[in-house]
mmCIF file of all heavy atoms in Angstrom:
data_model
loop_
_atom_site.group_PDB
_atom_site.id
_atom_site.type_symbol
_atom_site.label_atom_id
_atom_site.label_comp_id
_atom_site.label_asym_id
_atom_site.label_seq_id
_atom_site.Cartn_x
_atom_site.Cartn_y
_atom_site.Cartn_z
ATOM 1 N N LEU W 1230 28.169 -37.728 -11.630
ATOM 2 C CA LEU W 1230 28.306 -36.486 -12.210
ATOM 3 C C LEU W 1230 27.901 -35.326 -11.267
ATOM 4 O O LEU W 1230 28.227 -34.144 -11.447
ATOM 5 C CB LEU W 1230 27.571 -36.345 -13.530
ATOM 6 C CG LEU W 1230 28.083 -37.324 -14.658
ATOM 7 C CD1 LEU W 1230 27.146 -37.211 -15.800
ATOM 8 C CD2 LEU W 1230 29.457 -37.041 -15.000
ATOM 9 N N ILE W 1231 27.253 -35.672 -10.143
ATOM 10 C CA ILE W 1231 26.879 -34.621 -9.196
ATOM 11 C C ILE W 1231 27.957 -34.421 -8.225
ATOM 12 O O ILE W 1231 28.403 -33.270 -7.894
ATOM 13 C CB ILE W 1231 25.544 -34.972 -8.455
ATOM 14 C CG1 ILE W 1231 24.478 -35.266 -9.455
ATOM 15 C CG2 ILE W 1231 25.171 -33.965 -7.472
ATOM 16 C CD1 ILE W 1231 23.962 -34.056 -10.128
ATOM 17 N N THR W 1232 28.578 -35.522 -7.682
ATOM 18 C CA THR W 1232 29.563 -35.348 -6.665
ATOM 19 C C THR W 1232 30.971 -35.547 -7.117
ATOM 20 O O THR W 1232 31.988 -35.176 -6.480
ATOM 21 C CB THR W 1232 29.408 -36.504 -5.580
ATOM 22 O OG1 THR W 1232 29.515 -37.774 -6.176
ATOM 23 C CG2 THR W 1232 27.933 -36.407 -5.045
ATOM 24 N N GLY W 1233 31.188 -36.158 -8.328
ATOM 25 C CA GLY W 1233 32.453 -36.385 -8.875
ATOM 26 C C GLY W 1233 33.093 -37.716 -8.414
ATOM 27 O O GLY W 1233 34.198 -38.078 -8.871
ATOM 28 N N ASN W 1234 32.399 -38.492 -7.576
ATOM 29 C CA ASN W 1234 32.897 -39.717 -7.027
ATOM 30 C C ASN W 1234 32.937 -40.786 -8.149
ATOM 31 O O ASN W 1234 32.013 -40.894 -8.942
ATOM 32 C CB ASN W 1234 32.185 -40.243 -5.840
ATOM 33 C CG ASN W 1234 32.322 -39.312 -4.634
ATOM 34 O OD1 ASN W 1234 33.255 -38.696 -4.463
ATOM 35 N ND2 ASN W 1234 31.251 -39.248 -3.820
ATOM 36 N N ASN W 1235 33.956 -41.651 -8.121
ATOM 37 C CA ASN W 1235 34.158 -42.763 -9.114
ATOM 38 C C ASN W 1235 33.982 -44.090 -8.304
ATOM 39 O O ASN W 1235 34.273 -44.304 -7.166
ATOM 40 C CB ASN W 1235 35.502 -42.752 -9.675
ATOM 41 C CG ASN W 1235 35.762 -41.698 -10.634
ATOM 42 O OD1 ASN W 1235 35.444 -41.849 -11.883
ATOM 43 N ND2 ASN W 1235 36.250 -40.563 -10.210
ATOM 44 N N TYR W 1236 33.393 -45.083 -9.130
ATOM 45 C CA TYR W 1236 33.097 -46.408 -8.602
ATOM 46 C C TYR W 1236 33.322 -47.442 -9.583
ATOM 47 O O TYR W 1236 33.222 -47.143 -10.848
ATOM 48 C CB TYR W 1236 31.669 -46.432 -8.088
ATOM 49 C CG TYR W 1236 31.187 -45.449 -7.050
ATOM 50 C CD1 TYR W 1236 30.655 -44.230 -7.550
ATOM 51 C CD2 TYR W 1236 31.370 -45.642 -5.700
ATOM 52 C CE1 TYR W 1236 30.234 -43.288 -6.669
ATOM 53 C CE2 TYR W 1236 30.943 -44.713 -4.826
ATOM 54 C CZ TYR W 1236 30.405 -43.462 -5.356
ATOM 55 O OH TYR W 1236 30.004 -42.511 -4.410
ATOM 56 N N SER W 1237 33.633 -48.640 -9.193
ATOM 57 C CA SER W 1237 33.666 -49.769 -10.099
ATOM 58 C C SER W 1237 32.607 -50.749 -9.660
ATOM 59 O O SER W 1237 32.654 -51.296 -8.493
ATOM 60 C CB SER W 1237 35.071 -50.481 -10.018
ATOM 61 O OG SER W 1237 35.159 -51.511 -10.742
ATOM 62 N N TRP W 1238 31.700 -51.027 -10.537
ATOM 63 C CA TRP W 1238 30.630 -52.001 -10.221
ATOM 64 C C TRP W 1238 30.791 -53.191 -11.108
ATOM 65 O O TRP W 1238 30.624 -53.138 -12.380
ATOM 66 C CB TRP W 1238 29.282 -51.334 -10.553
ATOM 67 C CG TRP W 1238 28.798 -50.387 -9.472
ATOM 68 C CD1 TRP W 1238 29.496 -49.912 -8.353
ATOM 69 C CD2 TRP W 1238 27.515 -49.722 -9.336
ATOM 70 N NE1 TRP W 1238 28.862 -49.064 -7.588
ATOM 71 C CE2 TRP W 1238 27.555 -48.919 -8.154
ATOM 72 C CE3 TRP W 1238 26.351 -49.804 -10.075
ATOM 73 C CZ2 TRP W 1238 26.441 -48.142 -7.718
ATOM 74 C CZ3 TRP W 1238 25.205 -49.019 -9.639
ATOM 75 C CH2 TRP W 1238 25.345 -48.216 -8.396
ATOM 76 N N ASN W 1239 31.247 -54.267 -10.469
ATOM 77 C CA ASN W 1239 31.497 -55.437 -11.247
ATOM 78 C C ASN W 1239 30.582 -56.589 -11.036
ATOM 79 O O ASN W 1239 30.804 -57.713 -11.325
ATOM 80 C CB ASN W 1239 32.974 -55.928 -11.036
ATOM 81 C CG ASN W 1239 33.210 -56.118 -9.528
ATOM 82 O OD1 ASN W 1239 32.379 -56.134 -8.750
ATOM 83 N ND2 ASN W 1239 34.578 -56.174 -9.177
ATOM 84 N N LYS W 1240 29.453 -56.278 -10.385
ATOM 85 C CA LYS W 1240 28.395 -57.257 -10.052
ATOM 86 C C LYS W 1240 27.168 -56.826 -10.746
ATOM 87 O O LYS W 1240 26.932 -55.632 -10.944
ATOM 88 C CB LYS W 1240 28.246 -57.419 -8.569
ATOM 89 C CG LYS W 1240 29.473 -58.017 -7.949
ATOM 90 C CD LYS W 1240 29.265 -58.093 -6.400
ATOM 91 C CE LYS W 1240 30.530 -58.577 -5.667
ATOM 92 N NZ LYS W 1240 30.253 -58.626 -4.162
ATOM 93 N N GLU W 1241 26.215 -57.773 -10.890
ATOM 94 C CA GLU W 1241 24.932 -57.519 -11.416
ATOM 95 C C GLU W 1241 24.127 -56.629 -10.438
ATOM 96 O O GLU W 1241 23.442 -55.700 -10.764
ATOM 97 C CB GLU W 1241 24.171 -58.812 -11.795
ATOM 98 C CG GLU W 1241 22.885 -58.531 -12.505
ATOM 99 C CD GLU W 1241 22.179 -59.810 -12.967
ATOM 100 O OE1 GLU W 1241 22.740 -60.887 -12.554
ATOM 101 O OE2 GLU W 1241 21.177 -59.727 -13.662
ATOM 102 N N TRP W 1242 24.176 -57.002 -9.224
ATOM 103 C CA TRP W 1242 23.431 -56.226 -8.138
ATOM 104 C C TRP W 1242 24.439 -55.453 -7.310
ATOM 105 O O TRP W 1242 25.513 -55.990 -6.894
ATOM 106 C CB TRP W 1242 22.674 -57.215 -7.218
ATOM 107 C CG TRP W 1242 21.464 -57.801 -7.870
ATOM 108 C CD1 TRP W 1242 21.481 -58.921 -8.630
ATOM 109 C CD2 TRP W 1242 20.157 -57.318 -7.846
ATOM 110 N NE1 TRP W 1242 20.193 -59.185 -9.070
ATOM 111 C CE2 TRP W 1242 19.363 -58.237 -8.634
ATOM 112 C CE3 TRP W 1242 19.506 -56.186 -7.203
ATOM 113 C CZ2 TRP W 1242 17.995 -58.039 -8.791
ATOM 114 C CZ3 TRP W 1242 18.145 -56.096 -7.446
ATOM 115 C CH2 TRP W 1242 17.439 -57.013 -8.170
ATOM 116 N N ASN W 1243 24.130 -54.154 -7.014
ATOM 117 C CA ASN W 1243 25.048 -53.312 -6.308
ATOM 118 C C ASN W 1243 24.254 -52.464 -5.281
ATOM 119 O O ASN W 1243 23.039 -52.125 -5.494
ATOM 120 C CB ASN W 1243 25.630 -52.294 -7.346
ATOM 121 C CG ASN W 1243 26.584 -53.085 -8.346
ATOM 122 O OD1 ASN W 1243 27.702 -53.303 -8.043
ATOM 123 N ND2 ASN W 1243 25.997 -53.453 -9.438
ATOM 124 N N TYR W 1244 25.000 -52.152 -4.204
ATOM 125 C CA TYR W 1244 24.374 -51.529 -3.046
ATOM 126 C C TYR W 1244 24.467 -49.954 -3.219
ATOM 127 O O TYR W 1244 25.465 -49.384 -3.657
ATOM 128 C CB TYR W 1244 25.112 -51.875 -1.774
ATOM 129 C CG TYR W 1244 24.632 -51.099 -0.571
ATOM 130 C CD1 TYR W 1244 23.485 -51.525 0.098
ATOM 131 C CD2 TYR W 1244 25.353 -50.051 -0.040
ATOM 132 C CE1 TYR W 1244 23.032 -50.834 1.213
ATOM 133 C CE2 TYR W 1244 24.969 -49.389 1.010
ATOM 134 C CZ TYR W 1244 23.829 -49.764 1.719
ATOM 135 O OH TYR W 1244 23.372 -49.052 2.882
ATOM 136 N N VAL W 1245 23.343 -49.294 -2.936
ATOM 137 C CA VAL W 1245 23.356 -47.851 -2.939
ATOM 138 C C VAL W 1245 22.670 -47.334 -1.709
ATOM 139 O O VAL W 1245 21.892 -47.990 -1.113
ATOM 140 C CB VAL W 1245 22.611 -47.179 -4.198
ATOM 141 C CG1 VAL W 1245 23.294 -47.558 -5.484
ATOM 142 C CG2 VAL W 1245 21.148 -47.646 -4.247
ATOM 143 N N GLU W 1246 23.134 -46.147 -1.286
ATOM 144 C CA GLU W 1246 22.607 -45.498 -0.178
ATOM 145 C C GLU W 1246 22.342 -44.004 -0.506
ATOM 146 O O GLU W 1246 23.165 -43.359 -1.096
ATOM 147 C CB GLU W 1246 23.573 -45.584 1.013
ATOM 148 C CG GLU W 1246 23.062 -45.022 2.360
ATOM 149 C CD GLU W 1246 24.059 -45.272 3.489
ATOM 150 O OE1 GLU W 1246 24.059 -46.427 3.970
ATOM 151 O OE2 GLU W 1246 24.884 -44.339 3.770
ATOM 152 N N ILE W 1247 21.122 -43.535 -0.239
ATOM 153 C CA ILE W 1247 20.767 -42.145 -0.617
ATOM 154 C C ILE W 1247 20.183 -41.450 0.660
ATOM 155 O O ILE W 1247 19.362 -41.917 1.352
ATOM 156 C CB ILE W 1247 19.652 -42.242 -1.691
ATOM 157 C CG1 ILE W 1247 20.155 -43.127 -2.857
ATOM 158 C CG2 ILE W 1247 19.406 -40.734 -2.257
ATOM 159 C CD1 ILE W 1247 19.107 -43.277 -4.000
ATOM 160 N N ASN W 1248 20.702 -40.206 0.747
ATOM 161 C CA ASN W 1248 20.253 -39.345 1.916
ATOM 162 C C ASN W 1248 19.299 -38.255 1.292
ATOM 163 O O ASN W 1248 19.436 -37.876 0.102
ATOM 164 C CB ASN W 1248 21.447 -38.661 2.549
ATOM 165 C CG ASN W 1248 22.289 -39.649 3.284
ATOM 166 O OD1 ASN W 1248 21.773 -40.334 4.270
ATOM 167 N ND2 ASN W 1248 23.529 -39.789 2.933
ATOM 168 N N PRO W 1249 18.328 -37.825 2.082
ATOM 169 C CA PRO W 1249 17.406 -36.834 1.605
ATOM 170 C C PRO W 1249 18.153 -35.457 1.239
ATOM 171 O O PRO W 1249 17.526 -34.629 0.496
ATOM 172 C CB PRO W 1249 16.378 -36.637 2.781
ATOM 173 C CG PRO W 1249 16.991 -37.242 3.958
ATOM 174 C CD PRO W 1249 17.982 -38.326 3.464
ATOM 175 N N GLU W 1250 19.333 -35.313 1.854
ATOM 176 C CA GLU W 1250 19.987 -33.997 1.544
ATOM 177 C C GLU W 1250 20.370 -34.009 0.007
ATOM 178 O O GLU W 1250 20.468 -32.899 -0.564
ATOM 179 C CB GLU W 1250 21.224 -33.900 2.392
ATOM 180 C CG GLU W 1250 20.985 -33.615 3.842
ATOM 181 C CD GLU W 1250 20.575 -34.842 4.620
ATOM 182 O OE1 GLU W 1250 20.705 -35.937 4.028
ATOM 183 O OE2 GLU W 1250 20.064 -34.708 5.697
ATOM 184 N N LEU W 1251 20.680 -35.113 -0.567
ATOM 185 C CA LEU W 1251 20.944 -35.252 -2.010
ATOM 186 C C LEU W 1251 20.221 -36.504 -2.483
ATOM 187 O O LEU W 1251 20.828 -37.597 -2.464
ATOM 188 C CB LEU W 1251 22.409 -35.366 -2.312
ATOM 189 C CG LEU W 1251 22.847 -35.384 -3.769
ATOM 190 C CD1 LEU W 1251 22.384 -34.117 -4.502
ATOM 191 C CD2 LEU W 1251 24.377 -35.561 -3.881
ATOM 192 N N PRO W 1252 18.914 -36.348 -2.862
ATOM 193 C CA PRO W 1252 18.146 -37.575 -3.047
ATOM 194 C C PRO W 1252 18.263 -38.344 -4.410
ATOM 195 O O PRO W 1252 17.351 -39.089 -4.808
ATOM 196 C CB PRO W 1252 16.694 -37.019 -2.872
ATOM 197 C CG PRO W 1252 16.795 -35.655 -3.464
ATOM 198 C CD PRO W 1252 18.173 -35.132 -3.052
ATOM 199 N N PHE W 1253 19.441 -38.173 -4.975
ATOM 200 C CA PHE W 1253 19.623 -38.924 -6.321
ATOM 201 C C PHE W 1253 21.049 -39.111 -6.579
ATOM 202 O O PHE W 1253 21.956 -38.346 -6.084
ATOM 203 C CB PHE W 1253 18.873 -38.194 -7.392
ATOM 204 C CG PHE W 1253 19.234 -36.679 -7.443
ATOM 205 C CD1 PHE W 1253 20.432 -36.115 -7.898
ATOM 206 C CD2 PHE W 1253 18.195 -35.798 -6.995
ATOM 207 C CE1 PHE W 1253 20.617 -34.799 -8.005
ATOM 208 C CE2 PHE W 1253 18.475 -34.427 -7.091
ATOM 209 C CZ PHE W 1253 19.681 -33.965 -7.537
ATOM 210 N N HIS W 1254 21.384 -40.043 -7.474
ATOM 211 C CA HIS W 1254 22.719 -40.217 -8.017
ATOM 212 C C HIS W 1254 22.534 -40.106 -9.590
ATOM 213 O O HIS W 1254 21.506 -40.588 -10.156
ATOM 214 C CB HIS W 1254 23.300 -41.622 -7.789
ATOM 215 C CG HIS W 1254 23.591 -41.826 -6.298
ATOM 216 N ND1 HIS W 1254 24.729 -41.233 -5.717
ATOM 217 C CD2 HIS W 1254 23.109 -42.652 -5.385
ATOM 218 C CE1 HIS W 1254 24.740 -41.598 -4.521
ATOM 219 N NE2 HIS W 1254 23.847 -42.549 -4.231
#
């Protein structure tokens, strides 16, 4: 809801990457 990007997460464990410029999803 911050960036508007869409994703499909079909696994129990999922990878995320966060930069200090925007420190949250």
Side-chain angles (χ1 to χ4, degrees):
L1230 296 176
I1231 303 294
T1232 65
N1234 294 331
N1235 286 274
Y1236 305 91
S1237 178
W1238 283 9
N1239 55 14
K1240 297 178 181 178
E1241 185 175 9
W1242 288 87
N1243 296 271
Y1244 175 79
V1245 295
E1246 186 174 278
I1247 309 176
N1248 292 301
E1250 290 78 12
L1251 183 61
F1253 47 77
H1254 293 290

